[in-house]
Structure formats: C-alpha cells, structure tokens
Amino acid sequence: MKKFLNFLFSMQMMGVLIILFAFSIGIATFIENDFGTPAARALVYDAWWFELMLLLLAINLVVNIFRYDLYRKEKWSIFLFHAAFIIIFIGSGVTRYMGYEGNMHIREGQSSNQITSMSSYIDVKAQANGKVSELSQKLSISSVKKTHFNDDLNIDNKNVEISLRTFIPNAQSAIVQDINGIPILELVAIGSNGMEGMQNFSLEYAQQKNIAGMPIAFGSNAGTNAIIFDYSDSLRMKSPFEIMELSMMGGDPIVMEAKTWHVVMPKKIYDLKGSKIVIKNFYPSAKYQYIKGQDKNAPSVLVFDVKSGSEHKELLVQGNNNYVGTEAHTNINGVDVSATYGSKIIEIPFSLKLNKFILDRYPGSNSPSSFASEVTLFDPAQGLEKDYRIYMNNILKHEGFRFFQASYDNDEKGTVLSVNHDQWGMMITYFGYFLLMLGMAWSLINPFSRFNSLGKQSKTGKTLAVAALLLLGNLLPASAQNEILPIVPLQQSKEFGKLLVQDNGGRFEPINTLASEVIRKITKKNKFQGYTAEQVFLSMIANPQQWQTAAMIKVGDSDLASELGISGKYASFMNFLNAQGQYKLSQKVQEAYSKKPAHRSAYDKEIISVDERINITYMVFTGEFLKIFPDPTDDMHEWYNPTSQINLSGDDSLFVKKSVIMLGQALNNADFAGADNYIAGIKTYQNRFGQRVIPSPTKQKIEILYNNINIFKRLFPYYLLIGFFLVVFLVVQIIHPKFPVKWIMRSATFILAIGFMLHTSALAARWYISGHAPWSNGFESMTYVAWACLLSGFIFVKKSDFALAATSILAGLTLFVAHLSWMNPEVTNLVPVLKSYWLTIHVAIITASYGFLALAAILGMINLTLFNLQNTNNQSRIKGTVMDLSRISEMTMTIGLYFLTIGTFLGGIWANESWGRYWGWDPKETWALVSILVYSFVLHMRFIPGLKSVYAFNLASVWGYSSILMTYFGVNYYLAGMHSYAKGDPVPIPTWVYYSVAIILALSLAAYYQYKKYNAKNQEIET
C-alpha cells in the first residue's frame, strides 16, 4: 500500500495526470465540434472520472508541495503560485456545486423578478386527492451517452415510479407501420382556395378534417357534403360531386361519378372542383412515432416509463436545454403525473424594470457598435429604487447577483440579460488568480528561484548596440515599369487619396487605405507596374473602358489561365467576358461554391478567389466603393457613392452626382487645376456635412503614412536574412572556434534594433489609427507576436547570441505568414464585446507568451541540429553549447508559460466581467489550458526518471509548440466556438503542414541517434 501511495502522489503520477488532463479536454473540443456541447459535457466535463482526475491532481500537488519543501522561505514565490492552483480548484468547485447562471428577458416598460436557469432539470409532480408530491433533478442529456434517471414518489399510500427509457434529440413526428396500429392516410393538397404551394395532411381512421376548403373524412360518419375515404380490401373514395383523376405522367383525365365509391391509388392527382389532392401514402396499420430530426431548433423528446401498482404507461415529454419545458400529463392508478424537462424558473428577491433598450450602430452600417439596457432596480426589502445602465463590460451587481447585457429582441424593444449568482466561488477564484500572478512575477526576480539560478549558469553575452541606416534603402519607392495605360498624375492621386471614404463596416478612412486594400486584392501586389495604389485606383475610375483591357487581375492557376486564353498570371477584366458580354466563369463559380471547402480542389479555390477579384474590379469601375458623400439628412451618418439615391436638391444634388465624373474628365483633358478644384470641393463637402464623424486630420495623416511605408512587409525579409546568416555563422563558430563572429553579431544586433524600433512605431501607429489595441484579429496578433519574439531575443541575447538569431528568424516568418493571402491586414471596427480594457491586457500577455515559447522551440531545433553535427572533434564544444542553449530555452519557456497562464486567467476575468462566467470550456480557452498543461509537463520533466535528458527536453520544447499552433490556428479553422472564425465546414489542412511534420520528425530521429552515439551516459537537465 505504501508503494502504491508513493506512486500515486509521485512526480511521475503528476506527469501522467497532467498529460491525461490535457488529452481529455483536447478530445472534448472535437467531441463538442462534432456532437455538440451537451455531448462534450456528458462524456468529459461532467463525468465522474474527470472530477476524480482533477481531485487526484489537486491532492498530488498538495503532497508534492510538502515533499519538495516549497514552504521554505527561499521558495515562497514558487509556493505561492502552486498553492494558487489549489485555491482556484476549490473556487471552481464552489462555482460548480453552489453557483448558477440564468437569463432574464424583459420587454420595454415591463418588470421581471424571474430568471430561467442555464442548467436543465427534470421536474416531476404527482397529485391525488388534493395531495402533491414533487421531485426535481438537474440533468444533462446527450445523444452520445445514455442518461440514467430513475426515481419514485409516494402519494396517498401509492408509489409512482418514473424512469427515463430513451432520448430523441430534435424530435419530429413520423408515421411508422405497426401491427397494432390503425389505418392512416397521408394527403398533399395543392394550392387553391387561398392556399400557398403544397400542404401535407394526415388522417387517422375515424377522423375528419377541413382540407383545401372542404370537409374530408376517413371512415367516419361524415355529413352529406364531405368527401369520404374508406378501406376494406382496397382504399376507396366517394364524393358528393363529380371529380377528375389525373396521372402525374400525363394523359387524358378520368371522370369519377358523384356519390359512388371509386378505388383510388397513391401518386394520382384528384381534382375536386379546382382543389387538387394527392394520396401521398396509405398505411393499413400504423402509428405516430417521434424520430430524430434535422431541425436543430426543434425540441427534444424524453420517453419515460411510468409505473404504479399493476399499471404501466408511457409519458412523452418535450423540452430542450436553455428553454422552459412543456408540461406533459398522464393519469395512472388514480394519480395525475406531470413532468417537464428544460430550464427552471427561479424567482429572485428583487425586480428589474426595462425603461429603454438602446442599440447604437457604426455610422452608415447595420453593425452594432454597442447596446445597453436602461433599467430600474426595485428591492422592497431594502426600500431601494435605483436606475442603472447595463451594457457590454458594464454590469449591475446586487445581493450576490450580477446582470450582464447578453442579447436583445429583433424588434429592439426587449433585452436579454444573463444572470450569474456565484459570489463565493468568484471571490475564492479571484483570490487564487491574484496569488498565481504574484507568485509567478515574484519567481522571476527571486534570487533563489530556478529561473535566476539558470541565468547565473549561462554565459554572459554581448552588449546591445544602437542605431543603423541599412533599412532605409528598402523604404524608397520602387521604380516604375512602362506600359501604355492612361494614368493620372501622382500629385492628383495623392490629394484624392486624402479624401475620406466610408467602408462597409461604417469605418471612415482615407481613400489611400481603400485603394491600398483594393489594388492589393486585385493584383496581389502593393503597386501595379510601378504606379501607386492611389494612381491605379483613380485611373480605373477616370478611364474605366481603357483599364478594362489592362492585365491586372491575378490568375494563379495555369489551367484557368489557358482556358481564358491568357499568357502569364494576369488577366484583364475583358478576358472574363465572352463576345456576348456574358461572364465566362459563371457556371464554374457556382460549381465551386456548391462543394464543401474540404472537397474543393486547388482549381475550385482559384475560381472563387478570381471571382472575388473580378467583383472588386467591377465595383471600382462603377464607383460603388466611393462612399465619399455624407447625407446631411441621415441621422445614422451613412455616406453614399455618386450613383446612390440621396434626397438632396439644388447645387448639392448636382455636385454629388457630377463631381466625380467631372474630376475624371478634367484628368483626361490634363486640366489638373480643374481636377484639384473638384478634389478640394469634395473635401469641403465632407467637412461641411460630415464633421461630426470624420477622424482628426492628424489621424488621417498618420494612417496614410502607415499605409505608404507598409513597414511590416518591408521588415520581414531583413529579419529572415539576418537571422538565417547569424545562425549559420554561430554554428560555424562552434565547429571552428577561431571564426570571427563578434563584429558580425554587433552589426546584426544594430540593424535588428532599428527594425525593432520601427516595428514598435508601426504597432503604435495602428493602435492610434484604429482606436484599439493592435491585436484584435489574425493579422494584428501576428505582427504583435513577431514583436514579442524579437523582444524575447533582445532579453536573452546576453545569455546567448543564438537567442537573437532564432527570434529574428521567427519574427520574419511570423510577419511573412501575416502577409499571406488568407490574412486580412485591414483596420476594422470592434464588435461590442471586444471594447474592453481586459481585451488589451489579456491578448497582449497571452500573445506575448507565444513569442517566448516560440524562442524555446527554435532553440530546441538548433540543439537537435547541433546533435546531428556532433563528431569526435567537436563533441565537447557542442555539449557545452547545447547545455547553455537548453538553460536559455528553459528560461524563455518559463517566462512564456507564466505569460500564457496569466493571460489565460486574465481572459477568464474578462469573460466573467463581460458575460458572467470565467470558464465555459470554449475550444479556444480549452486549448490555451492544454498548452499550459503541456509546458507545465515539459518544465517538470527534470523530476521524472527517464525524461531528465537534455535530448528529451529539447525534443519536447520543439513538439510542445504544436499545442500553441493548435490554439492559435487550429481552433479558429477546425473547431466551432466563440473565438472561431470558421462556422461552417472545415477547411483542408495545408500540404506544408505534413511536410513540416515530416522534416521535424526526421530531424528528431536523427538527433536521437547521434545523441545516443556520443552520450554513453545521458546528459541531464540540472534539478
């Protein structure tokens, strides 16, 4: 028993539990994606074994705190954040078992003191002779796991047993043949007498309905005006008037006499004075039965067996998660039994009255900018009556309840507030978060911590240099190539680019920004034939016919290029039209879109991409992008293009309709002074009618400068080249120690420092332009991760030159990925929930961690490469270098893990302050936790026998980064959740992923062979 307990609470078992925990929740995200949230909760998150695993993990942590004497003074910083996990675990338990969530729906002018629970319950009530017996049980039902429910009630000396037999998700009623059933007839009535289209009906034997405006009976004693169906050895019909039988295959109609029985058949059409009826199906013996349906909004059906005395009955209960169920009744053994499944109504000790719901939109857009509920709180017990405004990230707190703005009614006259009651669980958890952050921060500066001991063991590196001008050469504009196309002068295009335009999201930006985005999408380049995006954009507007023949639309597929009859990779707008002016790709586009993304070929994807470029080109030619004219009568501040219908009169109306046309004519006639006047006139018009919404002149100038420099794209080649050559030179120095690398390193550091400052300035400029922190979408976060990578390199360059070299490569690759075609570099407005300072803190810290963890992965790859370069001559030098880089890798991994952990839990605070729960097992937050667990395991491998080797640590540091890639990319495109971009079918895994995995796998195996060859005794990480 002692051996078993020692193993149960050992570091080996801790490692096993961490990996099992990570594996379980990772698999749960895929279960949720394929089978829904209830399935993931039933199979994993709410399962008893999952809770047991967490309990064992917490107990194991407590035991190891004492085993490794973490309570000693010099280890207090480590003790704090390890103890914090235990406190967080306790807080989550309080939340799970004592807290609850719900929704409150209120219409304007009405009050409510009721919330509907987020959890679902089975409620059963039995009544007999004025007596009542009730039971209620929380129950989560999933289609992938059998749910057990069996209970009984005692009432009036009678026992009623109720048990769940089966569960039918999204149930729909269907007719099935049954030997003990009754005859059932299915009919289709075809539109007439006010009916629209076709309608389906069913008739049971001895039933009568009014169908298509006339009484139709099946085997019943109907009136003299009814059409009667009956069945003996065949199906017959009798009508009080003459009817016509028609065949669906055509042919002459057959007249059927009135008041006479006629044999009828399915799939025939019967014309009843203009009303047409088709016998769809006839079942001589059948019954109605619920089956699983495809309508995700349809209620589910729970089938219960109810027993009392010698009687047994079936009770069908309709209900669903997050909805109040419909009560179902049955009477058995003299007892009235009713049951419901779904949310429970919970009354709270005060009420809220909705005075007004307010929805603000971005100017000229349907996109919500913010929404708020103005309410009055009534609490009779406290004699309180107070007004509040609830909106996103601004909550109402009262008596342990917290109210959040969640949603609203379609007519914007009602609000939906999410309600959370978890005061103690939240306080305990937040206290745990505080200790966690304090302990991690303290451990970085604690002179007795492992982080600092690793720093002391690493060699002292080079001093950071400052200033260089080598980047300036690439900041100069490229030289133009000549082709005979009507092009507007640079001066007029620059002035035109300073005008403001409203994009589809309601954001106001210089035309310079719009032109850059449009030309980049059409040509896949920032310039076209050396001309600026503004020149090309304005030239296309001024001379649409000539520019329709310009080969500027990128076609990346050679087969498509051949079909279009073009040579090279660019086609003109006219290449896509046939002699009749019809769009050549119309059918191909429809076929491509009809396929699921995973089944689309490279050709299909190119068809879709080219079609988008053609549509954008067409919108430039027609002027639809030019929403440059404010409507002075529109309270929504929507701007219009010259072809829009605006309610203006006089000179203003004429100016809006003609100014762009006249500008084009002036440019074509080389009347540049006249063109300047028209541009100035549009600017004056914008300032006159749009002054309330246009950005400041300073912001406009900075945005244009940001667009023109395009610093992120200019930087990544320098980052990549410098990092690559540094790695080569540093490896050469290890093999040949006399190789001079000192001044090369200083020069490279000098250049990278300038690039880093420019990178920082560009991030700051984007922050100022957009009005929010520059990490709210994929492109922004990638540029920020690149910045964090380089920052980590500068931090650790004193420990090893390899740190800066590795992060330079990583920053370059990250910026390269940011500029791939599927990344969107546009500056956009924020959705309401992202307008929070918690976003800035949470995303900044968590994405910064990616940079530090990436550095650990790159250093790991360098070490695996060094293992492969070992020989008898350089063995000792490589061993020393590997150990030094491993120490740096562990240090940067520690910082990365701390940042990742703190950022993830700050995200929990953001979620809790935004919609009332700090953890909901959303795939993004779940995979962030998986990454935390993976790196926690890697950093604790030095305590686990068999995993202490330097090779194992570096191998884990490389492959561990796959969890970050899954968190950052995989969740967005392969899993559904609140953080996901892909809501429909999954996109295929890129081919380069398989090649990358194969290369790293080959590198890992070769390194293991070399490591074992030259390390008779395993080189271990110091503990």
Side-chain angles (χ1 to χ4, degrees), residues 182-185 202-209 217-219 288:
I182 58 174
I184 300 178
L185 187 64
S202 62
L203 277 174
E204 300 177 20
Y205 197 77
Q207 187 179 24
Q208 179 176 326
K209 288 185 179 178
F218 186 20
Y288 289 99

Side-chain angles (χ1 to χ4, degrees), residues 54 93 156 302 381 522 593 697 797 817 942 966 974:
L54 291 179
D156 200 24
L302 284 68
I522 294 173
Y593 273 110
V797 70
V817 171
R942 58 194 172 91
M966 180 63 192
Y974 298 101

Side-chain angles (χ1 to χ4, degrees), residues 733-964:
Q733 187 195 38
I734 294 172
I735 300 173
H736 302 287
K738 294 183 179 181
F739 181 79
V741 78
K742 177 180 179 180
W743 289 104
I744 295 175
M745 188 66 203
R746 287 187 176 183
S747 299
T749 304
F750 185 64
I751 299 170
L752 289 174
I754 295 298
F756 182 73
M757 287 188 287
L758 292 172
H759 196 145
T760 305
S761 300
L763 285 174
R766 189 170 179 109
W767 192 329
Y768 176 66
I769 292 164
S770 64
H772 59 259
W775 39 74
S776 63
N777 60 33
F779 175 83
E780 290 180 346
S781 60
M782 290 294 280
T783 57
Y784 176 71
V785 168
W787 179 87
C789 287
L790 210 55
L791 175 64
S792 65
F794 283 121
I795 290 173
F796 288 101
V797 70
K798 291 185 178 182
K799 303 297 179 185
S800 172
D801 295 335
F802 273 105
L804 189 59
T807 53
S808 178
I809 293 175
L810 195 61
L813 288 172
T814 306
L815 286 183
F816 171 73
V817 171
H819 287 85
L820 292 177
S821 59
W822 46 275
M823 282 289 186
N824 184 5
E826 297 176 16
V827 178
T828 56
N829 289 321
L830 283 179
V831 296
V833 72
L834 298 183
K835 293 181 176 179
S836 169
Y837 59 87
W838 288 112
L839 167 74
T840 306
I841 302 171
H842 156 63
V843 180
I845 293 177
I846 204 168
T847 50
S849 74
Y850 298 164
F852 285 94
L853 295 173
L855 173 57
I858 292 294
L859 291 176
M861 291 190 68
I862 291 173
N863 278 340
L864 292 179
T865 304
L866 289 175
F867 284 138
N868 284 303
L869 296 176
Q870 282 186 110
N871 58 45
T872 53
N873 296 325
N874 61 26
Q875 181 180 355
S876 61
R877 290 195 301 274
I878 284 183
K879 277 186 178 181
T881 302
V882 166
M883 285 302 298
D884 201 55
L885 292 182
S886 296
R887 294 187 191 102
I888 297 170
S889 178
E890 187 176 345
M891 291 175 69
T892 187
M893 190 184 294
T894 300
I895 294 177
L897 177 60
Y898 287 178
F899 276 25
L900 180 62
T901 305
I902 292 171
T904 299
F905 287 117
L906 283 175
I909 295 175
W910 173 31
N912 199 35
E913 296 302 316
S914 294
W915 49 79
R917 62 111 182 100
Y918 40 76
W919 199 264
W921 298 111
D922 176 79
K924 191 78 167 182
E925 62 194 21
T926 300
W927 272 96
L929 180 56
V930 169
S931 298
I932 292 171
L933 293 168
V934 166
Y935 279 101
S936 297
F937 176 79
V938 175
L939 287 175
H940 286 82
M941 282 169 56
R942 58 194 172 91
F943 296 104
I944 302 175
L947 297 178
K948 294 182 177 183
S949 71
V950 172
Y951 171 80
F953 173 79
N954 284 282
L955 182 73
S957 69
V958 172
W959 289 99
Y961 202 70
S962 60
S963 66
I964 297 295

Side-chain angles (χ1 to χ4, degrees), residues 428-503:
I428 296 171
T429 303
Y430 276 17
F431 179 63
Y433 289 174
F434 170 74
L435 292 182
L436 177 81
M437 297 173 197
L438 178 62
M440 287 183 167
W442 186 4
S443 69
L444 293 178
I445 59 175
N446 182 0
F448 303 105
S449 70
R450 177 168 176 79
F451 181 84
N452 279 280
S453 67
L454 287 169
K456 292 172 184 177
Q457 294 174 54
S458 298
K459 69 177 184 179
T460 303
K462 310 290 183 281
T463 305
L464 208 72
V466 188
L469 300 173
L470 288 177
L471 285 177
L472 296 180
N474 201 48
L475 299 181
L476 299 175
S479 59
Q481 303 174 21
N482 293 322
E483 182 175 323
I484 301 175
L485 276 172
I487 193 77
V488 301
L490 184 61
Q491 178 61 33
Q492 278 68 40
S493 68
K494 282 185 176 180
E495 292 302 314
F496 185 72
K498 294 178 183 177
L499 295 176
L500 293 172
V501 64
Q502 186 181 49
D503 69 10

Side-chain angles (χ1 to χ4, degrees), residues 520-557:
R520 183 169 53 246
K521 284 187 176 181
I522 294 173
T523 67
K524 310 306 289 184
K525 295 180 179 179
N526 292 323
K527 292 185 176 183
F528 177 67
Q529 295 185 357
Y531 299 117
T532 67
E534 295 160 310
Q535 283 181 286
V536 177
F537 185 77
L538 182 53
S539 298
M540 291 172 70
I541 294 170
N543 299 281
Q545 291 184 337
Q546 292 92 325
W547 277 84
Q548 286 177 13
T549 62
M552 63 185 302
I553 301 174
K554 178 71 179 290
V555 179
D557 187 274

Side-chain angles (χ1 to χ4, degrees), residues 265-279:
M265 305 285 292
K267 314 303 180 185
K268 297 280 188 180
I269 302 173
Y270 297 95
D271 191 332
L272 316 173
K273 292 185 176 180
S275 296
K276 295 181 176 61
I277 288 181
V278 177
I279 301 172

